[in-house]
């Protein structure tokens, strides 16, 4: 149902929602094609069974808006939301850099580098297609908390900021909620950009922070800065910096390609002695390295990205350093297996 899509209880998973993030096509039929594709996949769970954040939900919803309004989704948002609210420094992503637009930066090991590519396609406008100033986003948060009937009814706004169902106690309709702390919030990211919005509706206080730098893994993590700034503005629990374990994990991933290539080099040096052991161990000599390489590649290219809710293509799109390391490690273990067998 529409409500299940709004509350992320449709059964579509986070990985299914992130699998098409690298589709950056911008023609007017891009969203229609995206939804035609989504109609061919089977949701990971039955609708209404579990809560699982999935961008696919809002891709489907944006197409619903297009069909019912007979208006392209981006045009609809600009004419029905941005302009009526006076968000004059905001627009839907149009893939043309203006003179006042911030340049995006993606993580690259211990620093960040400017990203000159296209960060999203027209099929993703419903999940993250708004370009806005912090001042305009403050206007939007004020609308959500003003208790008035304007672009939405006051009752609709209140319902958006309440638990959507018993299986969605910490999510309403488009907003995360922490009722015990009186907080309503949401974060968002495109390659090279991240944002965080937080409100205390009972106090009529809101906070928005926008950054033209994406978080990295380990040394490049910046999410705690945005959340920490919100804590300073609105109160709440202190944000902790990323621990040494995350940094150590990143350093291990950095070292993985070197370990794999070192193993391949040692196997190459010992290839004569390995073959001299005779045919009696040919089976294990050939199949064991192959099975080890396949298992290791699965962990690197499927399991690890999946634990973050993405596939390897999306991981590389948002964090090119991490994606490159995982791919190089998989190549290195394949070279080792080929030499060793």
């Amino acid at each position: 149902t529409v409500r299940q899509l709004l509350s992320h209880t449709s059964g579509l998973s986070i990985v299914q929602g992130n699998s098409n993030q690298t589709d950056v096509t911008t023609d007017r039929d891009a969203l229609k094609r995206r939804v035609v594709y989504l109609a061919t996949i089977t949701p990971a769970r039955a609708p209404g069974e579990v809560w699982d954040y999935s961008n696919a939900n809002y891709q489907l919803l944006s197409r619903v808006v297009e069909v019912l309004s007979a208006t392209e989704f981006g045009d609809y948002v600009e004419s029905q939301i941005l302009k009526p609210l006076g968000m004059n420094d905001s627009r839907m992503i149009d893939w043309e850099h203006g003179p006042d637009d911030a340049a995006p930066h993606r993580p690259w090991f211990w620093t960040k580098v400017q990203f000159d590519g296209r960060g999203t396609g027209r099929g993703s406008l419903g999940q993250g297609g708004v370009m806005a100033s912090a001042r305009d986003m403050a206007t939007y948060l004020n609308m959500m908390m003003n208790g008035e009937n304007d672009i939405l009814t006051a009752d609709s706004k209140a319902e958006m900021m309440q638990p959507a169902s018993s299986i969605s106690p910490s999510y309403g309709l488009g907003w995360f909620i922490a009722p015990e702390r009186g907080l309503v919030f949401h974060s968002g990211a495109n390659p090279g950009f991240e944002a965080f919005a937080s409100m205390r509706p009972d106090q009529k206080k809101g906070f928005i922070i926008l950054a033209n730098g994406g978080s990295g893994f380990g040394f490049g993590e910046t999410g705690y800065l945005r959340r920490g700034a919100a804590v300073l503005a609105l109160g709440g629990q202190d944000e902790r910096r990323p621990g040494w374990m995350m940094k150590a994990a990143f350093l291990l991933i950095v070292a993985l390609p070197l370990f794999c290539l070192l193993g391949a080099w040692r196997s190459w040096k010992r290839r004569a002695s390995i073959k001299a052991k005779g045919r009696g161990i040919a089976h294990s000599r050939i199949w064991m390295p192959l099975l080890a390489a396949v298992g290791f590649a699965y962990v690197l290219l499927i399991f690890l990205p999946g634990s973050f809710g993405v596939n390897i293509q999306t991981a590389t799109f948002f964090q090119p350093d991490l994606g490159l390391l995982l791919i190089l490690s998989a190549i290195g273990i394949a070279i080792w297996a080929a030499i060793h067998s």
Side-chain angles (χ1 to χ4, degrees), residues 14 23 81 90 98-99 106 114 122 130 148 172 223 278 287 300 335:
I14 185 171
D23 176 6
I81 299 176
S90 304
R106 296 187 299 181
Q114 186 169 327
R122 196 178 292 275
V130 177
E148 300 175 0
W287 290 107
L300 291 171
I335 294 173

Side-chain angles (χ1 to χ4, degrees), residues 155-175:
D155 289 342
S156 292
K157 297 174 193 176
E159 186 173 2
M160 292 171 68
M161 296 186 284
Q162 298 295 323
S165 66
S166 60
I167 63 171
S168 179
S170 299
Y171 198 86
L173 305 178
W175 289 98

Side-chain angles (χ1 to χ4, degrees), residues 125-207:
L125 290 185
Q127 75 192 49
V130 177
M131 298 178 68
S133 66
R135 184 182 298 276
D136 275 5
M137 286 305 302
T139 297
Y140 185 84
L141 297 188
N142 181 65
M143 177 275 297
M144 286 297 304
M145 295 184 291
N146 64 15
E148 300 175 0
N149 298 324
D150 36 53
I151 65 170
L152 291 171
T153 66
D155 289 342
S156 292
K157 297 174 193 176
E159 186 173 2
M160 292 171 68
M161 296 186 284
Q162 298 295 323
S165 66
S166 60
I167 63 171
S168 179
S170 299
Y171 198 86
L173 305 178
W175 289 98
F176 287 95
I177 53 177
E180 72 284 356
R181 291 185 284 159
L183 285 174
V184 178
F185 58 95
H186 211 298
S187 60
N190 275 331
F193 289 108
E194 294 197 356
F196 185 74
S198 185
M199 296 179 284
R200 289 191 180 275
D202 58 330
Q203 300 178 15
K204 298 294 190 292
K205 291 183 178 180
F207 176 82

Side-chain angles (χ1 to χ4, degrees), residues 31 100 115 130 163 210 229 259 287 308 327:
L31 176 57
D100 297 325
F115 177 49
V130 177
L210 311 176
F259 285 136
W287 290 107
F308 291 96
I327 292 170

Side-chain angles (χ1 to χ4, degrees), residues 4-341:
Q4 288 170 335
L5 294 172
L6 284 167
S7 60
H8 293 292
T9 57
S10 68
L12 291 162
S13 71
I14 185 171
V15 175
Q16 289 174 322
N18 288 332
S19 63
N20 50 30
Q21 296 305 290
T22 54
D23 176 6
V24 294
T25 53
T26 61
D27 61 279
R28 292 254 165 173
D29 289 329
L31 176 57
K32 181 179 180 180
R33 287 198 308 274
R34 179 78 60 87
V35 171
V36 168
Y37 160 74
L38 289 172
T40 67
I41 68 174
T42 301
R45 304 290 288 270
E49 187 175 280
V50 298
W51 182 91
D52 196 0
Y53 193 99
S54 180
N55 283 321
N57 292 319
Y58 278 72
Q59 294 164 16
L60 291 166
L61 286 166
S62 57
R63 179 61 180 160
V64 170
V65 171
E66 281 194 343
V67 172
L68 294 181
S69 66
T71 306
E72 194 267 337
F73 179 74
D75 294 341
Y76 184 90
V77 172
E78 289 188 345
S79 64
Q80 301 299 316
I81 299 176
L82 303 183
K83 289 182 180 178
L85 289 178
M87 296 174 64
N88 299 320
D89 291 326
S90 304
R91 66 185 192 273
M92 298 304 286
I93 292 176
D94 53 16
W95 304 281
E96 296 292 337
H97 269 298
D100 297 325
D101 294 345
H105 293 75
R106 296 187 299 181
W108 185 250
F109 296 94
W110 295 271
T111 185
K112 299 188 187 299
V113 294
Q114 186 169 327
F115 177 49
D116 296 323
R118 186 176 292 155
T120 189
R122 196 178 292 275
S124 296
L125 290 185
Q127 75 192 49
V130 177
M131 298 178 68
S133 66
R135 184 182 298 276
D136 275 5
M137 286 305 302
T139 297
Y140 185 84
L141 297 188
N142 181 65
M143 177 275 297
M144 286 297 304
M145 295 184 291
N146 64 15
E148 300 175 0
N149 298 324
D150 36 53
I151 65 170
L152 291 171
T153 66
D155 289 342
S156 292
K157 297 174 193 176
E159 186 173 2
M160 292 171 68
M161 296 186 284
Q162 298 295 323
S165 66
S166 60
I167 63 171
S168 179
S170 299
Y171 198 86
L173 305 178
W175 289 98
F176 287 95
I177 53 177
E180 72 284 356
R181 291 185 284 159
L183 285 174
V184 178
F185 58 95
H186 211 298
S187 60
N190 275 331
F193 289 108
E194 294 197 356
F196 185 74
S198 185
M199 296 179 284
R200 289 191 180 275
D202 58 330
Q203 300 178 15
K204 298 294 190 292
K205 291 183 178 180
F207 176 82
I208 180 76
I209 184 169
L210 311 176
N212 63 326
S215 271
F217 178 73
F219 292 89
E221 170 61 35
T222 57
Y224 73 96
L225 293 172
R226 290 182 294 281
R227 295 188 298 271
V231 167
L232 291 174
L234 302 179
Q237 298 177 343
D238 291 339
E239 280 293 328
R240 296 182 178 179
R241 291 174 175 267
W244 65 267
M245 290 187 65
M246 294 292 285
K247 293 180 172 64
F250 183 78
L251 291 175
L252 177 61
I253 293 174
V254 170
L256 270 178
L258 300 177
F259 285 136
C260 293
L261 290 175
L262 177 61
W265 177 78
R266 291 190 62 184
S267 293
W268 176 259
K269 296 284 288 186
R270 297 173 56 238
R271 66 190 184 283
S273 62
I274 292 174
K275 292 181 179 180
K277 292 181 179 180
R279 296 183 178 180
I281 60 169
H283 182 78
S284 62
R285 181 168 59 82
I286 294 173
W287 290 107
M288 291 305 292
L290 180 61
L291 290 175
V294 170
F296 198 54
Y298 172 82
V299 170
L300 291 171
L301 302 181
I302 298 178
F303 178 79
L304 279 179
S307 67
F308 291 96
V310 297
N311 56 25
I312 187 63
Q313 293 89 346
T314 302
T316 306
F317 195 37
F318 278 78
Q319 300 186 35
D321 53 350
L322 181 62
L324 176 64
L325 289 169
L326 295 177
I327 292 170
L328 287 178
S329 298
I331 293 173
I333 196 67
I335 294 173
W336 169 83
I339 294 173
H340 203 275
S341 60

